[in-house]
Amino acid sequence: MTTPIPPIIPSRTALLLMDFQPAVLAAVPHSAHALSRAQAGLAWARSHDVRVVYVRVAFAPEDFAAVPRRNKTFAAVAQHGFLADGSPDTDLHDCLDVRDDDIVVRKTRIGALSDATGLHESLQAQGIDTLVLAGLSTSGVVLTTLRHAADEDYRLYVLKDATADPDPEVHRLLIEKVFPQQAEIIDTDDLWTLGKAV
């Protein structure tokens, strides 16, 4: 017998749209589908007054200087000046409707909740205890943010059709085997029944 998926309370929920920017989209096969489903999730959030959070990775000059050579993920990024803040590759995709009251987070590590972003503190101050995650890639920002958020006791939902990974098998393994241990795995269309306005 399967346990019913708990409903989403819009007033206590944030939708995190993570790393939907040209440099990342270009590195992930089938990213256009994930982006279109993220737009559908955004439409749901707008209609239910759910807090919208955009997360992007971008480095200022001082950020590059702060990356140690032992950092396997970001040492090459820093050395070659990739993802420099202000470059087109670090912009949010222009199909995403960013509004003045949205939260936009710039990060210099994989997870959206890393200490430098201040996102956790901001969400806590607003009474947010539930996160809906969408982003690229599944094994990068989604995995890292999910693990951190679970340790911070958020209720978590992952939009499986609004996430994607350079390796489809890794995506499948995470969605089917790993993420369900800490999150509800849903399609974007499920938001309309799980997250009714109250």
Side-chain angles (χ1 to χ4, degrees), residues 120-148:
H120 172 59
E121 293 75 15
S122 176
L123 295 174
Q124 291 288 289
Q126 297 175 55
I128 301 295
D129 63 10
T130 302
L131 303 180
V132 178
L133 306 181
L136 307 171
S137 64
T138 317
S139 62
V141 69
V142 181
L143 171 62
T144 303
T145 302
L146 183 148
R147 290 297 204 193
H148 192 157

Side-chain angles (χ1 to χ4, degrees), residues 148-167:
H148 192 157
D151 280 351
E152 298 288 359
D153 300 322
Y154 287 96
R155 173 174 284 147
L156 295 166
Y157 298 78
V158 174
L159 301 179
K160 66 181 176 183
D161 55 345
T163 61
D165 195 84
D167 186 330

Side-chain angles (χ1 to χ4, degrees), residues 16-28:
L16 272 62
L17 300 173
M18 303 180 290
D19 294 6
F20 286 107
Q21 52 196 101
V24 183
L25 287 158
V28 178

Side-chain angles (χ1 to χ4, degrees), residues 26-176:
V28 178
H30 312 297
S31 61
H33 176 73
L35 178 60
S36 71
R37 300 313 297 153
Q39 286 180 275
L42 178 60
W44 165 80
R46 297 296 190 210
S47 69
H48 290 74
D49 293 323
V50 168
R51 169 62 71 192
V52 174
V53 179
Y54 292 101
V55 179
R56 66 187 188 94
V57 58
F59 292 80
E62 61 271 20
D63 300 320
F64 287 133
V67 176
R69 291 186 179 183
R70 64 181 175 273
N71 186 314
K72 190 170 183 178
T73 301
F74 289 112
V77 171
Q79 181 181 357
H80 298 288
F82 297 143
L83 296 170
D85 195 20
S87 70
D89 276 347
T90 65
D91 291 339
L92 293 166
H93 194 278
D94 57 13
C95 77
L96 298 172
D97 173 30
V98 182
R99 299 184 181 177
D100 289 342
D101 58 347
D102 295 336
I103 299 173
V104 180
V105 172
R106 183 178 71 86
K107 65 187 177 75
T108 59
R109 292 296 185 268
I110 295 174
L113 296 175
S114 61
D115 291 343
T117 67
L119 179 58
H120 172 59
E121 293 75 15
S122 176
L123 295 174
Q124 291 288 289
Q126 297 175 55
I128 301 295
D129 63 10
T130 302
L131 303 180
V132 178
L133 306 181
L136 307 171
S137 64
T138 317
S139 62
V141 69
V142 181
L143 171 62
T144 303
T145 302
L146 183 148
R147 290 297 204 193
H148 192 157
D151 280 351
E152 298 288 359
D153 300 322
Y154 287 96
R155 173 174 284 147
L156 295 166
Y157 298 78
V158 174
L159 301 179
K160 66 181 176 183
D161 55 345
T163 61
D165 195 84
D167 186 330
E169 179 60 18
V170 169
H171 171 81
R172 185 196 66 79
L173 179 66
L174 289 169
I175 290 292
E176 295 180 6

